[in-house]
Amino acid sequence: MRALRFVQLFRMIFGPVEKLDPRKIESMGLLAVKIAQMYAIRADLLGPEKTAKLNGFYEEASPMPAGEFMAAVKREAPPAFWERLDHLEETPLAVASLGQVHRGLLKDGTSIVVKVLRQDHAAEFQRDVEAVRFLAKTSLFFYPPLQRLADPIGTLETIRRTTVTEMNLLAEYDGTEQMKRLRDEGVAALPHLQQLAFPRIYRELSNENFLVSEFVNAPTVRKLLKAGQFDYQHLLLLFRIHGYYLFFRGKFHGDFHPGNVFYDGEKFWFIDNANVESVPLEFSRGLLRFMVALGEKRYADAALAIEALGVKPLDHPGEFRAAFAKLYANFGHKPVGEESLTTQMMQTIRMAVEKGLQFPEGAFPIIKSLMYLDGMAISCAPDRFLLEDVAAYAKDFQES
């Protein structure tokens, strides 16, 4: 009956807002939570009231029952951890769908955080993936256009791949080291990359189910946005830093929501770096050309930039260009708070697919990253014209 449970999930997500119950979704298991998190950024599909409810999954999941965390630590922690530990708090610092984080102290006075996975996720998660895959294949049988419009099986595979990676906590060490190396390779040409930091991960005290890392004494960008303490200049600096990874390297933080970015007033800290996504540079730079053209109000060039992202030429490009011109006839004259880039991008992708454009596989993670940045801009500076400022920084990401 797993498939029926997920039918209920999708009815809840796409049904009346008053029937959307995040706690009930959480009780459906890890895959249900991951699907809900994916839709939490799709205000263009669900509307702001629903996405606000779903965003609760990024802020606080239900903690483990009392005593379960310490039992997990005793079971998973290597001997070297106990040799160096001075104190570990039993109250969680943060709780997520996969596990939870507690603050601690090493004997040398170093403040740390300890992350432990919840038990029995892997087998249950894989069984749920198979159930949803069956639903997706059944839906495609009865409605083949769904593949072009939503790519349900590809989306499910992305969720499966990223979640399985997160289930091995050592992937966070590998991802952090990769992100640090890319930063260091770019800092000579782009000095503002010095304002990006990563917490130290104690590889020698960690394993697949247990992770020890440096405590970052700074608030998350999500918390700063809620308090009205994250201004637009901070956002533009964050865009330049993240944009280096997106548009110049084609490798970037795969879950770039504002809860995974800390800011201490001088530096940004990227955490939860397990999933480092990759995208072909010709795609990411083509997407940048599209955004720059929009910011400069060159809409015909923006249409050509999107058209060039397809895996093969359109049979009838004139139809696509005419539809693009109609979609953008009144675009670009309102600030980001009144004219969401996220909504416009998703409408553009839908229209392009309907006109026969086929995007390469793996394109969604970079679009998701840009959705997060758009959401941050709406929160901190709804009166600004984000795309105009994006265009001003395009030179950061051009090949020398």
Side-chain angles (χ1 to χ4, degrees), residues 84-161:
R84 295 176 60 179
L85 180 69
D86 178 79
H87 174 71
L88 183 62
E89 296 180 3
E90 293 197 34
T91 302
L93 183 66
V95 181
S97 54
L98 275 169
Q100 59 193 51
V101 176
H102 290 237
R103 191 171 176 182
L105 188 71
L106 297 181
K107 290 177 181 177
D108 64 4
T110 303
S111 291
I112 58 167
V113 291
V114 168
K115 182 186 294 186
V116 175
L117 293 180
R118 296 174 186 263
Q119 286 187 288
D120 302 326
H121 262 329
E124 182 77 9
F125 177 77
Q126 189 56 45
R127 287 192 290 267
D128 284 346
V129 166
E130 294 306 318
V132 175
R133 184 177 285 118
F134 171 79
L135 274 181
K137 288 180 177 179
T138 303
S139 300
L140 289 171
F141 177 81
F142 288 105
Y143 185 60
L146 183 65
Q147 175 62 33
R148 292 188 297 107
L149 295 174
D151 187 18
I153 294 177
T155 301
L156 176 64
E157 174 56 25
T158 297
I159 293 173
R160 186 205 65 78
R161 173 179 53 80

Side-chain angles (χ1 to χ4, degrees), residues 23 26 60-66 68 90 92 94-96 99-100 102 118:
R23 289 303 172 209
E26 186 181 15
E60 197 67 24
S62 298
M64 296 179 186
E68 187 176 314
E90 293 197 34
V95 181
Q100 59 193 51
H102 290 237
R118 296 174 186 263

Side-chain angles (χ1 to χ4, degrees), residues 194-345:
Q194 295 178 75
Q195 292 174 266
L196 173 63
F198 300 90
R200 175 186 173 184
I201 294 177
Y202 291 81
R203 176 66 175 79
E204 71 279 11
L205 304 182
S206 305
N207 56 44
E208 291 185 0
N209 300 314
F210 183 83
L211 190 78
V212 180
S213 62
E214 173 187 3
F215 171 71
V216 179
N217 188 20
T220 65
V221 168
R222 184 188 300 282
K223 185 174 290 186
L224 291 171
L225 286 168
K226 280 193 168 185
Q229 296 174 349
F230 191 74
D231 66 35
Y232 189 61
Q233 293 307 310
H234 296 152
L235 177 70
L236 292 180
L237 174 58
L238 181 58
F239 167 75
R240 294 182 74 189
I241 290 171
H242 188 49
Y244 162 75
Y245 290 95
L246 288 176
F247 304 120
F248 190 77
R249 304 309 299 259
K251 296 181 184 296
F252 55 94
H253 195 303
D255 197 13
F256 197 68
H257 65 78
N260 276 343
V261 183
F262 291 67
Y263 185 59
D264 63 10
E266 296 181 358
K267 290 186 177 183
F268 288 99
W269 297 75
F270 287 5
I271 69 163
D272 287 355
N273 299 288
N275 282 298
V276 178
E277 294 285 357
S278 298
V279 66
L281 282 173
E282 57 268 23
F283 184 87
S284 63
R285 289 174 180 166
L287 196 57
L288 178 64
R289 285 192 291 273
F290 163 70
M291 295 169 64
V292 169
L294 288 184
E296 295 175 349
K297 297 181 173 57
R298 295 183 287 107
Y299 299 115
D301 291 338
L304 293 176
I306 285 290
E307 189 178 330
L309 296 179
V311 297
K312 60 181 181 179
L314 286 169
D315 293 332
H316 305 287
E319 293 181 9
F320 164 75
R321 295 170 194 173
F324 188 97
K326 182 178 180 181
L327 184 60
Y328 282 83
N330 298 309
F331 185 80
H333 307 292
K334 297 178 182 178
V336 67
E338 299 177 38
E339 193 173 62
S340 166
L341 175 61
T342 291
T343 300
Q344 194 72 12
M345 283 181 66

